[in-house]
Amino acid sequence: TVLTPDSAIRAAGDYKTATKNFWHPMSPSKQDPSQETLIVVSGEGNYVTDADGNRLLDGVGGLWNVNVGHNRAEVKDAIKAQLDQLAYYQSFDGVAHPRVYDLADRLVGMLAQEDAHRVLFGSNGSDAVETALKLSRQYWIAAGEPGRVRFLSLRNSYHGMHIGGTSVGGNAVYHYNHGPLLPGVELLDSPFLYRNPWNTEDPAELTDHLIRQLEERIEFLGGQTIAAFIAEPVQGAGGVIVPPEDYWPRVREVLDRHGILMISDEVVTGFGRTGNMLGSRGWGVKPDIMAFAKGISAGYIPLAATVFNRRVADAIENGPGFSNVIMHGYTYSGHPTAAAAALAVLDIVERDDLPGNAGLVGAVLQDELQALESHRYVGETRGKGLMAAIDLVADKGTRESVDPSSGIAHRIAAAAREEGVVVRPAGTKIILSPPLTLEADEAREMVRALDAALSRVD
Ligand code: PLP
């Protein structure tokens, strides 16, 4: 049966009430029956349509990933052409297909400033992070310092859900049900001006504290035991935490002094979201290893890439004995159809300067959002480019968060949806990560809807 859009919408409406065998990820295993599920049926540009036929502005961009907008003909055509030729083939030892080489070349070219040299593919951000962590240990075996096995990471960080990424993740809710986790992970404080252990509101002073903490921890553990420092250039899922200007350059300087690798988790920030092609580039630092997913294929087909700079790649390629073998990879480490989608997406990102648009429209969004701080529950709005958070507090003086079980974030998101905008409730925050094709008027519309939604919940 071919469903017309109208009948597709009617049929999809049934899913709101039908028995479901589906466990929603990141959700209670038993869904609250009073909480209505948003059934998304179709997407076009910066909008999606739900099962009732409502057209909604997509303030979440799928899940920080539909960066080029929905239903782009160029991307669909590239996928179809590849499917007609070869949907899938592997790329293990001695086998490959053209698109995977094309995409690796394209990435190394785009990341020449970072001295990018080699690429290993996967399917999602968790793969990209796991590859980065494992290969950073391999680097040290190849480089003759096998004792470097520890990882440094940050509180409030999110690095995906594989066991390595879970272990370096800095939010305890992801640890409770899945221990024991990887040993040798050291959490440091997050560059979070709004809430930090020193209660400082001065960015330069915050960096001083954090750098001192980093130095002390390295001294205590011994730099010769630490493989890598992993972090997001702007922490995303942890609440869109934008570090002080001098944070990243100073971290990089300390890491260099101790030879520690820097892994930049660019899963959210890669390919434009912060207003720069890379999050780390925006802070003027060059990582040794970069983890990409989400925006690389903009959600059209799952894909991840972990990119290694020349230092890491050369050491592994020239490592002694078994240390130069990449004994790591996935069935989908180089999926031809995903690679074709990514090539088409990256064409759009570069041709339409989506990082530039994210910077310009992001500035409008961040500016307008600040007006929401007059609402009862809004402690702070913050962000960079087209990633933003509304931090919901019970008490503006103490900055104590709202009770996550109060459902306030969900109520605000539901009210925003009635105003025509999808936003993401995440515990005690509302998260915004729209397509990078967003226009300034649409940014204003998002804020207007949130203003109305917050007024209702106030
Ligand atoms: N790293 C970061 C910074 C992320 O935000 C995410 C997902 O949101 C991941 C890794 C994991 O990506 P995925 O959910 O595709 O496995």
PDB file of all heavy atoms in Angstrom, residues 136-160:
ATOM      1  N   SER A 136      44.190   5.560  21.263  1.00  0.00           N
ATOM      2  CA  SER A 136      45.149   6.391  22.013  1.00  0.00           C
ATOM      3  C   SER A 136      46.033   5.495  22.871  1.00  0.00           C
ATOM      4  O   SER A 136      47.228   5.751  23.028  1.00  0.00           O
ATOM      5  CB  SER A 136      44.438   7.459  22.848  1.00  0.00           C
ATOM      6  OG  SER A 136      43.743   6.885  23.922  1.00  0.00           O
ATOM      7  N   ARG A 137      45.482   4.415  23.391  1.00  0.00           N
ATOM      8  CA  ARG A 137      46.326   3.462  24.134  1.00  0.00           C
ATOM      9  C   ARG A 137      47.296   2.765  23.171  1.00  0.00           C
ATOM     10  O   ARG A 137      48.461   2.568  23.495  1.00  0.00           O
ATOM     11  CB  ARG A 137      45.453   2.448  24.853  1.00  0.00           C
ATOM     12  CG  ARG A 137      44.810   3.022  26.103  1.00  0.00           C
ATOM     13  CD  ARG A 137      44.079   1.945  26.843  1.00  0.00           C
ATOM     14  NE  ARG A 137      43.688   2.383  28.180  1.00  0.00           N
ATOM     15  CZ  ARG A 137      42.932   1.637  28.986  1.00  0.00           C
ATOM     16  NH1 ARG A 137      42.498   0.453  28.586  1.00  0.00           N
ATOM     17  NH2 ARG A 137      42.612   2.083  30.188  1.00  0.00           N
ATOM     18  N   GLN A 138      46.798   2.430  22.002  1.00  0.00           N
ATOM     19  CA  GLN A 138      47.681   1.777  21.013  1.00  0.00           C
ATOM     20  C   GLN A 138      48.841   2.698  20.637  1.00  0.00           C
ATOM     21  O   GLN A 138      49.975   2.251  20.456  1.00  0.00           O
ATOM     22  CB  GLN A 138      46.875   1.394  19.767  1.00  0.00           C
ATOM     23  CG  GLN A 138      47.730   0.729  18.694  1.00  0.00           C
ATOM     24  CD  GLN A 138      46.925   0.144  17.556  1.00  0.00           C
ATOM     25  OE1 GLN A 138      45.698   0.132  17.606  1.00  0.00           O
ATOM     26  NE2 GLN A 138      47.595  -0.335  16.535  1.00  0.00           N
ATOM     27  N   TYR A 139      48.524   3.991  20.525  1.00  0.00           N
ATOM     28  CA  TYR A 139      49.583   4.959  20.205  1.00  0.00           C
ATOM     29  C   TYR A 139      50.731   4.822  21.203  1.00  0.00           C
ATOM     30  O   TYR A 139      51.903   4.795  20.828  1.00  0.00           O
ATOM     31  CB  TYR A 139      49.014   6.389  20.227  1.00  0.00           C
ATOM     32  CG  TYR A 139      50.083   7.451  20.285  1.00  0.00           C
ATOM     33  CD1 TYR A 139      50.737   7.862  19.128  1.00  0.00           C
ATOM     34  CD2 TYR A 139      50.453   8.020  21.497  1.00  0.00           C
ATOM     35  CE1 TYR A 139      51.744   8.817  19.182  1.00  0.00           C
ATOM     36  CE2 TYR A 139      51.453   8.978  21.563  1.00  0.00           C
ATOM     37  CZ  TYR A 139      52.094   9.378  20.411  1.00  0.00           C
ATOM     38  OH  TYR A 139      53.085  10.316  20.462  1.00  0.00           O
ATOM     39  N   TRP A 140      50.380   4.748  22.490  1.00  0.00           N
ATOM     40  CA  TRP A 140      51.434   4.715  23.501  1.00  0.00           C
ATOM     41  C   TRP A 140      52.192   3.389  23.498  1.00  0.00           C
ATOM     42  O   TRP A 140      53.391   3.350  23.785  1.00  0.00           O
ATOM     43  CB  TRP A 140      50.863   5.042  24.893  1.00  0.00           C
ATOM     44  CG  TRP A 140      50.554   6.515  25.004  1.00  0.00           C
ATOM     45  CD1 TRP A 140      49.325   7.094  25.105  1.00  0.00           C
ATOM     46  CD2 TRP A 140      51.504   7.588  24.966  1.00  0.00           C
ATOM     47  NE1 TRP A 140      49.445   8.467  25.154  1.00  0.00           N
ATOM     48  CE2 TRP A 140      50.763   8.801  25.071  1.00  0.00           C
ATOM     49  CE3 TRP A 140      52.898   7.662  24.857  1.00  0.00           C
ATOM     50  CZ2 TRP A 140      51.384  10.050  25.063  1.00  0.00           C
ATOM     51  CZ3 TRP A 140      53.510   8.918  24.856  1.00  0.00           C
ATOM     52  CH2 TRP A 140      52.752  10.085  24.955  1.00  0.00           C
ATOM     53  N   ILE A 141      51.511   2.302  23.156  1.00  0.00           N
ATOM     54  CA  ILE A 141      52.229   1.023  23.012  1.00  0.00           C
ATOM     55  C   ILE A 141      53.213   1.145  21.847  1.00  0.00           C
ATOM     56  O   ILE A 141      54.393   0.799  21.967  1.00  0.00           O
ATOM     57  CB  ILE A 141      51.231  -0.140  22.807  1.00  0.00           C
ATOM     58  CG1 ILE A 141      50.406  -0.329  24.087  1.00  0.00           C
ATOM     59  CG2 ILE A 141      51.961  -1.430  22.422  1.00  0.00           C
ATOM     60  CD1 ILE A 141      49.257  -1.316  23.963  1.00  0.00           C
ATOM     61  N   ALA A 142      52.724   1.704  20.737  1.00  0.00           N
ATOM     62  CA  ALA A 142      53.587   1.878  19.560  1.00  0.00           C
ATOM     63  C   ALA A 142      54.744   2.828  19.865  1.00  0.00           C
ATOM     64  O   ALA A 142      55.855   2.650  19.365  1.00  0.00           O
ATOM     65  CB  ALA A 142      52.762   2.397  18.382  1.00  0.00           C
ATOM     66  N   ALA A 143      54.463   3.838  20.680  1.00  0.00           N
ATOM     67  CA  ALA A 143      55.492   4.849  20.971  1.00  0.00           C
ATOM     68  C   ALA A 143      56.429   4.414  22.100  1.00  0.00           C
ATOM     69  O   ALA A 143      57.284   5.198  22.526  1.00  0.00           O
ATOM     70  CB  ALA A 143      54.810   6.176  21.325  1.00  0.00           C
ATOM     71  N   GLY A 144      56.233   3.197  22.604  1.00  0.00           N
ATOM     72  CA  GLY A 144      57.169   2.671  23.605  1.00  0.00           C
ATOM     73  C   GLY A 144      56.895   3.100  25.031  1.00  0.00           C
ATOM     74  O   GLY A 144      57.770   3.018  25.889  1.00  0.00           O
ATOM     75  N   GLU A 145      55.668   3.598  25.312  1.00  0.00           N
ATOM     76  CA  GLU A 145      55.322   3.939  26.695  1.00  0.00           C
ATOM     77  C   GLU A 145      54.010   3.235  27.073  1.00  0.00           C
ATOM     78  O   GLU A 145      52.979   3.888  27.283  1.00  0.00           O
ATOM     79  CB  GLU A 145      55.149   5.460  26.862  1.00  0.00           C
ATOM     80  CG  GLU A 145      56.445   6.240  26.746  1.00  0.00           C
ATOM     81  CD  GLU A 145      56.256   7.686  27.206  1.00  0.00           C
ATOM     82  OE1 GLU A 145      55.826   7.906  28.359  1.00  0.00           O
ATOM     83  OE2 GLU A 145      56.501   8.581  26.388  1.00  0.00           O
ATOM     84  N   PRO A 146      54.026   1.910  27.169  1.00  0.00           N
ATOM     85  CA  PRO A 146      52.786   1.163  27.397  1.00  0.00           C
ATOM     86  C   PRO A 146      52.162   1.433  28.767  1.00  0.00           C
ATOM     87  O   PRO A 146      51.015   1.036  29.004  1.00  0.00           O
ATOM     88  CB  PRO A 146      53.220  -0.297  27.252  1.00  0.00           C
ATOM     89  CG  PRO A 146      54.688  -0.300  27.517  1.00  0.00           C
ATOM     90  CD  PRO A 146      55.201   1.027  27.049  1.00  0.00           C
ATOM     91  N   GLY A 147      52.887   2.099  29.648  1.00  0.00           N
ATOM     92  CA  GLY A 147      52.332   2.418  30.970  1.00  0.00           C
ATOM     93  C   GLY A 147      51.336   3.566  30.932  1.00  0.00           C
ATOM     94  O   GLY A 147      50.670   3.863  31.925  1.00  0.00           O
ATOM     95  N   ARG A 148      51.219   4.224  29.785  1.00  0.00           N
ATOM     96  CA  ARG A 148      50.260   5.339  29.698  1.00  0.00           C
ATOM     97  C   ARG A 148      48.893   4.768  29.338  1.00  0.00           C
ATOM     98  O   ARG A 148      48.590   4.545  28.165  1.00  0.00           O
ATOM     99  CB  ARG A 148      50.707   6.316  28.621  1.00  0.00           C
ATOM    100  CG  ARG A 148      51.921   7.147  29.011  1.00  0.00           C
ATOM    101  CD  ARG A 148      51.895   8.363  28.130  1.00  0.00           C
ATOM    102  NE  ARG A 148      53.044   9.214  28.244  1.00  0.00           N
ATOM    103  CZ  ARG A 148      52.959  10.502  28.634  1.00  0.00           C
ATOM    104  NH1 ARG A 148      51.797  11.035  28.954  1.00  0.00           N
ATOM    105  NH2 ARG A 148      54.035  11.245  28.676  1.00  0.00           N
ATOM    106  N   VAL A 149      48.082   4.544  30.345  1.00  0.00           N
ATOM    107  CA  VAL A 149      46.782   3.913  30.122  1.00  0.00           C
ATOM    108  C   VAL A 149      45.613   4.732  30.673  1.00  0.00           C
ATOM    109  O   VAL A 149      44.462   4.454  30.371  1.00  0.00           O
ATOM    110  CB  VAL A 149      46.722   2.498  30.751  1.00  0.00           C
ATOM    111  CG1 VAL A 149      47.694   1.563  30.043  1.00  0.00           C
ATOM    112  CG2 VAL A 149      47.000   2.532  32.247  1.00  0.00           C
ATOM    113  N   ARG A 150      45.893   5.728  31.512  1.00  0.00           N
ATOM    114  CA  ARG A 150      44.783   6.459  32.149  1.00  0.00           C
ATOM    115  C   ARG A 150      44.163   7.486  31.199  1.00  0.00           C
ATOM    116  O   ARG A 150      44.819   7.960  30.276  1.00  0.00           O
ATOM    117  CB  ARG A 150      45.292   7.225  33.368  1.00  0.00           C
ATOM    118  CG  ARG A 150      45.740   6.389  34.510  1.00  0.00           C
ATOM    119  CD  ARG A 150      46.027   7.367  35.655  1.00  0.00           C
ATOM    120  NE  ARG A 150      47.053   6.882  36.544  1.00  0.00           N
ATOM    121  CZ  ARG A 150      46.798   6.213  37.659  1.00  0.00           C
ATOM    122  NH1 ARG A 150      45.557   5.940  37.999  1.00  0.00           N
ATOM    123  NH2 ARG A 150      47.795   5.828  38.434  1.00  0.00           N
ATOM    124  N   PHE A 151      42.935   7.839  31.525  1.00  0.00           N
ATOM    125  CA  PHE A 151      42.248   8.911  30.794  1.00  0.00           C
ATOM    126  C   PHE A 151      41.821  10.000  31.768  1.00  0.00           C
ATOM    127  O   PHE A 151      41.313   9.711  32.851  1.00  0.00           O
ATOM    128  CB  PHE A 151      41.002   8.370  30.087  1.00  0.00           C
ATOM    129  CG  PHE A 151      41.319   7.352  29.029  1.00  0.00           C
ATOM    130  CD1 PHE A 151      40.955   6.027  29.198  1.00  0.00           C
ATOM    131  CD2 PHE A 151      42.006   7.717  27.878  1.00  0.00           C
ATOM    132  CE1 PHE A 151      41.261   5.076  28.224  1.00  0.00           C
ATOM    133  CE2 PHE A 151      42.315   6.774  26.899  1.00  0.00           C
ATOM    134  CZ  PHE A 151      41.944   5.452  27.073  1.00  0.00           C
ATOM    135  N   LEU A 152      42.010  11.243  31.366  1.00  0.00           N
ATOM    136  CA  LEU A 152      41.454  12.379  32.096  1.00  0.00           C
ATOM    137  C   LEU A 152      40.208  12.838  31.348  1.00  0.00           C
ATOM    138  O   LEU A 152      40.213  12.905  30.111  1.00  0.00           O
ATOM    139  CB  LEU A 152      42.456  13.543  32.134  1.00  0.00           C
ATOM    140  CG  LEU A 152      43.837  13.278  32.735  1.00  0.00           C
ATOM    141  CD1 LEU A 152      44.699  14.548  32.625  1.00  0.00           C
ATOM    142  CD2 LEU A 152      43.713  12.846  34.199  1.00  0.00           C
ATOM    143  N   SER A 153      39.158  13.165  32.098  1.00  0.00           N
ATOM    144  CA  SER A 153      37.957  13.710  31.444  1.00  0.00           C
ATOM    145  C   SER A 153      37.275  14.675  32.411  1.00  0.00           C
ATOM    146  O   SER A 153      37.777  14.908  33.513  1.00  0.00           O
ATOM    147  CB  SER A 153      37.019  12.581  31.008  1.00  0.00           C
ATOM    148  OG  SER A 153      36.555  11.869  32.124  1.00  0.00           O
ATOM    149  N   LEU A 154      36.155  15.225  31.997  1.00  0.00           N
ATOM    150  CA  LEU A 154      35.533  16.321  32.759  1.00  0.00           C
ATOM    151  C   LEU A 154      34.162  15.954  33.313  1.00  0.00           C
ATOM    152  O   LEU A 154      33.398  15.227  32.678  1.00  0.00           O
ATOM    153  CB  LEU A 154      35.363  17.545  31.856  1.00  0.00           C
ATOM    154  CG  LEU A 154      36.631  18.160  31.275  1.00  0.00           C
ATOM    155  CD1 LEU A 154      36.277  19.350  30.373  1.00  0.00           C
ATOM    156  CD2 LEU A 154      37.589  18.604  32.380  1.00  0.00           C
ATOM    157  N   ARG A 155      33.863  16.503  34.459  1.00  0.00           N
ATOM    158  CA  ARG A 155      32.495  16.414  34.985  1.00  0.00           C
ATOM    159  C   ARG A 155      31.541  17.055  33.974  1.00  0.00           C
ATOM    160  O   ARG A 155      31.928  17.977  33.261  1.00  0.00           O
ATOM    161  CB  ARG A 155      32.371  17.159  36.314  1.00  0.00           C
ATOM    162  CG  ARG A 155      33.101  16.459  37.421  1.00  0.00           C
ATOM    163  CD  ARG A 155      32.898  17.126  38.767  1.00  0.00           C
ATOM    164  NE  ARG A 155      33.913  16.611  39.684  1.00  0.00           N
ATOM    165  CZ  ARG A 155      33.870  15.407  40.250  1.00  0.00           C
ATOM    166  NH1 ARG A 155      32.824  14.616  40.057  1.00  0.00           N
ATOM    167  NH2 ARG A 155      34.854  14.993  41.019  1.00  0.00           N
ATOM    168  N   ASN A 156      30.325  16.571  33.954  1.00  0.00           N
ATOM    169  CA  ASN A 156      29.278  17.043  33.015  1.00  0.00           C
ATOM    170  C   ASN A 156      29.527  16.635  31.566  1.00  0.00           C
ATOM    171  O   ASN A 156      28.795  17.042  30.677  1.00  0.00           O
ATOM    172  CB  ASN A 156      29.105  18.579  33.038  1.00  0.00           C
ATOM    173  CG  ASN A 156      28.693  19.084  34.390  1.00  0.00           C
ATOM    174  OD1 ASN A 156      27.784  18.534  34.999  1.00  0.00           O
ATOM    175  ND2 ASN A 156      29.354  20.115  34.878  1.00  0.00           N
ATOM    176  N   SER A 157      30.589  15.852  31.333  1.00  0.00           N
ATOM    177  CA  SER A 157      30.844  15.473  29.939  1.00  0.00           C
ATOM    178  C   SER A 157      29.923  14.337  29.517  1.00  0.00           C
ATOM    179  O   SER A 157      29.387  13.604  30.353  1.00  0.00           O
ATOM    180  CB  SER A 157      32.302  15.043  29.766  1.00  0.00           C
ATOM    181  OG  SER A 157      32.570  13.890  30.540  1.00  0.00           O
ATOM    182  N   TYR A 158      29.767  14.210  28.197  1.00  0.00           N
ATOM    183  CA  TYR A 158      29.007  13.085  27.626  1.00  0.00           C
ATOM    184  C   TYR A 158      29.799  12.556  26.443  1.00  0.00           C
ATOM    185  O   TYR A 158      30.101  13.299  25.509  1.00  0.00           O
ATOM    186  CB  TYR A 158      27.616  13.540  27.172  1.00  0.00           C
ATOM    187  CG  TYR A 158      26.791  12.371  26.669  1.00  0.00           C
ATOM    188  CD1 TYR A 158      26.118  11.542  27.562  1.00  0.00           C
ATOM    189  CD2 TYR A 158      26.731  12.065  25.325  1.00  0.00           C
ATOM    190  CE1 TYR A 158      25.393  10.452  27.120  1.00  0.00           C
ATOM    191  CE2 TYR A 158      26.008  10.973  24.866  1.00  0.00           C
ATOM    192  CZ  TYR A 158      25.344  10.170  25.775  1.00  0.00           C
ATOM    193  OH  TYR A 158      24.632   9.081  25.334  1.00  0.00           O
ATOM    194  N   HIS A 159      30.168  11.288  26.510  1.00  0.00           N
ATOM    195  CA  HIS A 159      30.989  10.706  25.447  1.00  0.00           C
ATOM    196  C   HIS A 159      30.389   9.415  24.907  1.00  0.00           C
ATOM    197  O   HIS A 159      31.115   8.506  24.506  1.00  0.00           O
ATOM    198  CB  HIS A 159      32.416  10.479  25.952  1.00  0.00           C
ATOM    199  CG  HIS A 159      33.123  11.744  26.332  1.00  0.00           C
ATOM    200  ND1 HIS A 159      33.427  12.727  25.408  1.00  0.00           N
ATOM    201  CD2 HIS A 159      33.551  12.219  27.533  1.00  0.00           C
ATOM    202  CE1 HIS A 159      34.033  13.736  26.032  1.00  0.00           C
ATOM    203  NE2 HIS A 159      34.119  13.461  27.314  1.00  0.00           N
ATOM    204  N   GLY A 160      29.074   9.337  24.895  1.00  0.00           N
ATOM    205  CA  GLY A 160      28.431   8.167  24.312  1.00  0.00           C
ATOM    206  C   GLY A 160      28.279   7.039  25.310  1.00  0.00           C
ATOM    207  O   GLY A 160      28.683   7.150  26.467  1.00  0.00           O
TER     208      GLY A 160
END
